[in-house]
Amino acid sequence: MAAPTSIDVSVDASEYSRYEEGRKTITATVVVSGGAPYTAEEVTVELTKARKARNSVAATVTLTFSGSSDPQEAVAEFFLPDIVDQDQIHLVRHGKYFIRATSDTDTNIIGESDDFDISVVTVDKLKSDYLFGIDLSATEIKAPKFQPQEISGISIVETSKTHPLGFDELNYIYHKDALTNSTVSIGSGADGTVDIEAVKGIEGDTGNSWTVEVRVPGGTSPLTVSTTGTQLLVDLSVSSGTPVAVDNTATKVASAISSLNNFEATATGTGASSLTNSEGPFSFSGGTSQVVRKINWGGGPLISLTKSGTFVLVKGLTGPAAGLSGVQNRDYICIKVKSLALLPTENKTEAILIDNKKIDDSTLKSFIDKSIDWVENDYLMTHIEPTNVVTDVDPSTVQFSAGVQAPTPIFTDTDFDFIVSPLTYFLHPHNSSWVQIQFPHPQMLRIDTLFGAIANTRVIDIDLEWIEISQQGGLVQLVPYNQEIAFDFVGLIWVNAIRGAVELPNFWHYNAIVGLRDAPGDIRELISKKAAIDALTIAGMALRPGVGSLSLSRDGVSESVSYINSMEYGMYTGTIKSYKDWIEEHGKELRARYRGPIMRVV
């Protein structure tokens, strides 16, 4: 099978959610090229978490390519609700992901998509269901609808308050001013040297990449001069493989080279001496250039870009004022140049749409993320999706003690979500009770590793079959059974013996999956309304900030407009108060249902 030499991967959206119709399926388009024809060429496509080492795979699809020509295209689909493990626990938690495609024939051929979000609540859902009809724009601030795409390395960071709305052109000019041109000399003798200068299309330092070579071909042929790639070739006039001196004088060679578009050549002395031998290749050198980068906005004055930083571009005048000297427009934009190396190396003109500044999707996404953090860490204190919590990134670093169990070390999955503290081992007041561990996680789905350690010494590993979990409440009991009961429960007895009635701090180390199996509808509503409150508060501030009413009058005609910005939460006080009331009204119910009472050991 022939492996492709390149793989390109793209996805059909920037945000997905397993809770929303139309957002549940990730469609990845994989394009292979460079290896046709293909016969059952397989490519492994992986849904991968975009964090830490970027190597944790949640789901895999294999595509097969067969075709006689390049490029070949196929589609891989990932239906998020179906991506679960053996316990029907979802493997995809909200966060950043990407698609990686790897050739099975040559695993060094890899393609990756841009990162995208998998969310509990998408930005589109927030806007359509909880911010419906809200423009989310500021009346006093103008901004580009989209940042420049063609003119790379530049972003617009500020626009004048009175700047007219609509399209304007950002014009970027790039060229090189040749300070000195590259040169080289061929031939020898007082009257035989030919001096060559790189001109026109290869002025300045561009000519430094060229070489010149003099050749003596076989057979019989006239003097010819040609170029190939970045090489200038001079084939001398020959008769039966012997140079014809009268045809190869410095004057005639210089004239032939000058007939080319990119070179000028002159012969030294009388130019009568002949070139008779093969020479070179010789490199052109000495060319220097000054790069010129300029930019203007809306036909305004050109500004030279000589370093990274922020520049003010004044908009050009339009209408009758355009012809008046000494009149300057008061409208402008400020651009930020990240690096001169990122700027284009050719002229570019790009139309930019100036509009009232809006709360963009990335800002709304940050409101959603902060709302999720608030729900999980403050309001419910419960993870709303299956979450991998670990006490040790690598439990094998905890040593085993001699004489107690010493099994093969269990390595924690490197794709953990949170690192938490180990738990104290408390002596149960009734010796007849099973060993109990109260975890600080109200929802326990599964424990993958549980071991005890004293200081940095690992003294006992718990068989996972002994673990009995009360999912709602986080209570775990250890119940050994079958022939293993003779075990190592002795290990716990030994622990009790060496410590007496004193608790062992940070004894229990674990790797567990905690949280709700799914984010229920009422929790998604809670997240959405909390995020909407933040968005509406900002949007209310942006609408006629500080203005309570506006009155205009002229020639007996008057207009009066009253705003409600003076209310507690600004323009959207009614909606914000309604969402706050809903959160307060349902708070006790949600906490009781998904968290239960908070237990503390004292």
Side-chain angles (χ1 to χ4, degrees):
M1 292 187 293
T5 59
S6 67
I7 301 177
D8 181 73
V9 185
S10 59
V11 293
D12 61 325
S14 59
E15 196 174 18
Y16 301 89
S17 174
R18 72 170 184 264
Y19 308 104
E20 300 175 12
E21 293 300 327
R23 296 282 184 173
K24 294 181 178 181
T25 301
I26 301 171
T27 301
T29 301
V30 180
V31 180
V32 300
S33 58
Y38 303 104
T39 303
E41 172 66 22
E42 292 187 342
V43 171
T44 300
V45 185
E46 299 168 320
L47 173 60
T48 311
K49 296 181 181 180
R51 62 181 188 181
K52 299 185 178 73
R54 294 173 66 90
N55 59 3
S56 179
V57 177
T60 301
V61 172
T62 299
L63 298 178
T64 302
F65 293 86
S66 295
S68 58
S69 61
D70 279 321
Q72 295 285 317
E73 180 179 304
V75 170
E77 291 188 334
F78 298 88
F79 186 61
L80 295 178
D82 286 350
I83 303 176
V84 295
D85 64 11
Q86 71 277 5
D87 297 319
Q88 297 301 301
I89 295 174
H90 288 283
L91 297 174
V92 176
R93 186 180 187 271
H94 57 274
K96 291 280 187 182
Y97 292 76
F98 68 98
I99 301 295
R100 175 186 288 130
T102 306
S103 167
D104 288 4
T105 304
D106 184 351
T107 56
N108 292 317
I109 306 301
I110 299 173
E112 294 183 354
S113 73
D114 294 334
D115 292 355
F116 53 83
D117 289 297
I118 295 180
S119 306
V120 177
V121 178
T122 65
V123 171
D124 283 349
K125 184 73 171 178
L126 179 67
K127 290 196 290 189
S128 64
D129 289 14
Y130 298 92
L131 301 174
F132 186 74
I134 305 300
D135 188 44
L136 299 176
S137 62
T139 55
E140 303 298 321
I141 305 176
K142 310 294 192 305
K145 182 76 173 179
F146 301 103
Q147 289 291 343
Q149 304 295 317
E150 293 292 325
I151 305 178
S152 58
I154 289 177
S155 58
I156 300 174
V157 295
E158 184 181 340
T159 305
S160 60
K161 182 178 178 179
T162 58
H163 198 291
L165 303 180
F167 284 96
D168 257 309
E169 285 191 346
L170 190 63
N171 182 42
Y172 172 79
I173 297 173
Y174 176 92
H175 65 86
K176 288 185 175 182
D177 287 342
L179 302 180
T180 61
N181 285 332
S182 303
T183 60
V184 70
S185 295
I186 57 174
S188 60
D191 296 317
T193 300
V194 178
D195 298 325
I196 309 170
E197 180 182 4
V199 295
K200 297 183 181 176
I202 53 175
E203 303 98 332
D205 63 350
T206 307
N208 291 340
S209 61
W210 280 75
T211 61
V212 61
E213 182 176 4
V214 179
R215 304 187 301 186
V216 179
T220 300
S221 59
L223 171 68
T224 59
V225 177
S226 61
T227 60
T228 176
T230 56
Q231 193 172 27
L232 171 62
L233 301 175
V234 178
D235 290 315
L236 298 178
S237 173
V238 293
S239 176
S240 299
T242 301
V244 180
V246 68
D247 293 336
N248 298 321
T249 64
T251 298
K252 290 184 177 180
V253 171
S255 177
I257 294 174
S258 296
S259 67
L260 300 176
N261 288 330
N262 300 118
F263 301 96
E264 290 181 357
T266 57
T268 60
T270 63
S273 297
S274 300
L275 282 70
T276 57
N277 298 310
S278 298
E279 294 181 315
F282 304 119
S283 296
F284 280 75
S285 63
T288 60
S289 297
Q290 178 181 0
V291 175
V292 176
R293 303 176 181 90
K294 293 185 177 182
I295 195 167
N296 71 342
W297 171 245
L302 286 167
I303 300 296
S304 294
L305 304 178
T306 57
K307 61 180 180 179
S308 58
T310 303
F311 299 84
V312 178
L313 305 183
V314 178
K315 176 177 165 55
L317 292 167
T318 58
L324 299 177
S325 62
V327 179
Q328 189 174 19
N329 202 331
R330 298 176 61 185
D331 290 316
Y332 64 88
I333 64 170
C334 293
I335 63 168
K336 182 177 181 180
V337 178
K338 301 175 185 177
S339 169
L340 294 181
L342 298 176
L343 296 175
T345 56
E346 59 182 338
N347 294 343
K348 293 283 187 179
T349 298
E350 186 170 356
I352 304 294
L353 176 59
I354 300 299
D355 199 358
N356 288 324
K357 183 176 177 61
K358 290 190 175 184
I359 301 177
D360 56 28
D361 286 356
S362 62
T363 302
L364 294 176
K365 181 66 171 61
S366 72
F367 292 153
I368 294 173
D369 291 341
K370 287 187 288 186
S371 178
I372 291 174
D373 289 342
W374 173 75
V375 169
E376 290 188 326
N377 300 324
D378 299 304
Y379 195 77
L380 294 182
M381 289 184 283
T382 301
H383 293 290
I384 61 175
E385 290 187 297
T387 303
N388 188 7
V389 295
V390 302
T391 54
D392 305 86
V393 177
D394 183 1
S396 69
T397 59
V398 179
Q399 302 300 312
F400 294 94
S401 64
V404 187
Q405 276 192 318
T408 302
I410 301 174
F411 289 83
T412 296
D413 181 3
T414 56
D415 181 48
F416 59 87
D417 293 304
F418 296 102
I419 298 177
V420 294
S421 297
L423 303 177
T424 297
Y425 182 9
F426 291 97
L427 179 65
H428 198 278
H430 305 293
N431 292 332
S432 59
S433 300
W434 298 114
V435 175
Q436 298 181 1
I437 307 171
Q438 180 62 58
F439 282 78
H441 311 288
Q443 299 284 343
M444 293 285 295
L445 297 177
R446 187 177 70 217
I447 295 178
D448 293 328
T449 304
L450 179 61
F451 67 90
I454 299 177
N456 70 334
T457 301
R458 184 166 172 167
V459 297
I460 187 170
D461 277 79
I462 302 301
D463 191 318
L464 298 181
E465 293 183 349
W466 300 355
I467 297 175
E468 299 294 333
I469 300 176
S470 172
Q471 179 175 330
Q472 180 81 20
L475 178 66
V476 170
Q477 292 178 296
L478 305 184
V479 185
Y481 65 98
N482 295 337
Q483 297 182 10
E484 303 172 51
I485 195 167
F487 135 99
D488 316 309
F489 224 67
V490 175
L492 289 180
I493 295 173
W494 175 78
V495 169
N496 283 330
I498 68 168
R499 71 182 176 86
V502 180
E503 71 274 4
L504 292 175
N506 292 341
F507 180 79
W508 292 117
H509 296 245
Y510 60 94
N511 176 8
I513 305 298
V514 304
L516 302 173
R517 287 183 175 270
D518 290 285
D522 48 8
I523 288 184
R524 299 200 303 274
E525 184 173 359
L526 172 65
I527 292 168
S528 301
K529 288 186 173 178
K530 178 63 172 66
I533 288 172
D534 294 339
L536 291 170
T537 301
I538 299 299
M541 292 169 55
L543 188 63
R544 296 291 182 185
V547 178
S549 63
L550 182 67
S551 180
L552 301 175
S553 178
R554 184 174 181 180
D555 296 334
V557 178
S558 63
E559 178 184 6
S560 180
V561 180
S562 296
Y563 300 99
I564 56 175
N565 291 350
S566 56
M567 296 185 67
E568 183 178 5
Y569 302 114
M571 177 67 72
Y572 305 111
T573 291
T575 305
I576 292 173
K577 190 174 187 309
S578 173
Y579 288 171
K580 281 180 173 287
D581 290 344
W582 185 93
I583 293 173
E584 183 176 350
E585 177 184 347
H586 291 79
K588 292 182 180 179
E589 174 187 343
L590 292 174
R591 283 189 283 264
R593 183 183 306 164
Y594 300 115
R595 185 192 69 196
I598 300 175
M599 304 297 294
R600 293 287 186 267
V601 178
V602 296

